[in-house]
Amino acid sequence: MNKHQSSRRHFLKQTGSAGLALGLSSTLIPGLAAVTAASSDFVQQPLPYAYNALEPAIDAMTMEIHYSKHAAAYAKSLAEACTAENVNTSKSIESVLRNISKYSVKMRNNAGGHFNHEMFWQSMKPSGSATPSGQLAASFIQSFGSFETFKNQFADAAKGRFGSGWAWLIVNSDNALQITSTPNQDNPIMDVAEVWGKPLLGLDVWEHAYYLKYQNRRADYITAWWNTVNWDVVAKRMEK
Ligand code: MN3
């Protein structure tokens, strides 16, 4: 498999569900071939829904600024850091995150910022399912007693994160579900994280994620955000 085939396969793996959700095919997207050849874990992928698709929980203006300005800036700065620090961007970004202490602060902030946002967009969908099902639902009961208890504890972690950061649902080293939170654009994959694990779901609690609609009411943003969660995606992450 040559490099082009490899990156294209990776791109399709990463974005296949997004393309299907939009009902698009490569023949309908001018310039997709160019995007495809350049795509990797390190490149911002198309948003899998319209800016207004998550209303009323997340308003269109917030989504547009968040995706096209904030997240795009992380991807741009990440590309600069990768060039400066000789990172092979055909590799998995997780290999960089796992060893982030060996890189610059610029890499830490922007590899985290890029990864976290790509995951965040994929974790939401218009009118997300209210509750998980199957093994994921059973795992919530096993690890937290009930799904409601999980939601309350996760919301507490999100509300309690001082300043900017993220709340996370992870699979920890004991293969149990656990809630944690990280400052800034750190995440639980990073070797600098207080709690390590495989992230299944992350919630952005930077003010840029909610301030236009909710101002200081972070708790209201969190309550509304539950209505957007794509539990099918979360379940697939757990199965991997
Ligand atoms: Mn953000």
Side-chain angles (χ1 to χ4, degrees), residues 66 70 74 117 166 185 204 206 208-209:
H66 200 179
H70 293 280
Y74 295 125
H117 285 86
W166 292 73
Q185 294 294 356
D204 188 343
W206 283 57
H208 70 223

Side-chain angles (χ1 to χ4, degrees), residues 173-190:
S173 53
D174 298 325
N175 225 22
L177 298 183
Q178 185 177 344
I179 292 162
T180 182
S181 81
T182 53
N184 305 315
Q185 294 294 356
D186 288 357
N187 67 45
I189 301 172
M190 292 180 172

Side-chain angles (χ1 to χ4, degrees), residues 16 22 37 63 77 79 107 132 164 168 184-185 192 207 240:
L22 290 166
M63 279 301 296
S77 295
M107 185 71 82
S164 299
W168 299 98
N184 305 315
Q185 294 294 356
V192 295
E207 284 185 345
K240 270 187 195 162

Side-chain angles (χ1 to χ4, degrees), residues 11-33:
F11 173 80
L12 292 173
K13 189 182 76 184
Q14 294 290 311
T15 60
S17 58
L20 288 175
L22 290 166
L24 300 172
S25 77
S26 58
T27 56
L28 296 176
I29 308 175
L32 180 68

Side-chain angles (χ1 to χ4, degrees), residues 51 59-70:
Y51 290 135
D59 61 287
M61 178 71 85
T62 295
M63 279 301 296
E64 180 169 0
I65 295 171
H66 200 179
Y67 175 84
S68 72
K69 305 295 184 193
H70 293 280

Side-chain angles (χ1 to χ4, degrees), residues 16-198:
S17 58
L20 288 175
L22 290 166
L24 300 172
S25 77
S26 58
T27 56
L28 296 176
I29 308 175
L32 180 68
V35 173
T36 299
S39 286
S40 78
D41 274 5
F42 293 80
V43 174
Q44 189 179 36
Q45 302 297 330
L47 193 67
Y49 34 73
Y51 290 135
N52 66 358
L54 303 180
E55 290 188 343
I58 302 177
D59 61 287
M61 178 71 85
T62 295
M63 279 301 296
E64 180 169 0
I65 295 171
H66 200 179
Y67 175 84
S68 72
K69 305 295 184 193
H70 293 280
Y74 295 125
K76 181 172 179 285
S77 295
L78 173 60
E80 292 167 3
C82 286
T83 300
E85 296 171 54
N86 293 314
V87 167
N88 176 359
T89 57
S90 67
K91 289 198 308 188
S92 148
I93 193 171
E94 294 183 33
S95 60
V96 173
L97 296 172
R98 277 195 295 272
N99 299 290
I100 202 70
S101 63
K102 295 177 182 151
Y103 296 91
S104 67
V105 171
K106 180 171 180 172
M107 185 71 82
R108 176 174 172 174
N109 289 339
N110 292 289
H114 173 68
F115 177 92
N116 296 351
H117 285 86
E118 289 292 301
M119 186 175 170
F120 187 54
W121 313 133
Q122 298 292 336
S123 302
M124 299 185 287
K125 67 172 187 177
S127 44
S129 41
T131 54
S133 58
Q135 182 55 48
L136 180 60
S139 297
F140 278 122
I141 292 170
Q142 195 172 17
S143 296
F144 301 101
S146 72
F147 179 61
E148 282 307 311
T149 303
F150 154 72
K151 279 177 71 177
N152 290 333
Q153 291 181 6
F154 186 95
D156 287 346
K159 284 182 272 189
R161 167 49 55 190
F162 185 77
S164 299
W166 292 73
W168 299 98
L169 169 68
I170 63 168
V171 178
N172 66 21
S173 53
D174 298 325
N175 225 22
L177 298 183
Q178 185 177 344
I179 292 162
T180 182
S181 81
T182 53
N184 305 315
Q185 294 294 356
D186 288 357
N187 67 45
I189 301 172
M190 292 180 172
D191 57 1
V192 295
E194 277 178 40
V195 179
W196 289 324
K198 173 190 166 66

Side-chain angles (χ1 to χ4, degrees), residues 204-216:
D204 188 343
V205 294
W206 283 57
E207 284 185 345
H208 70 223
Y210 62 86
Y211 204 85
L212 289 180
K213 181 176 170 89
Y214 296 97
Q215 294 84 47
N216 61 314

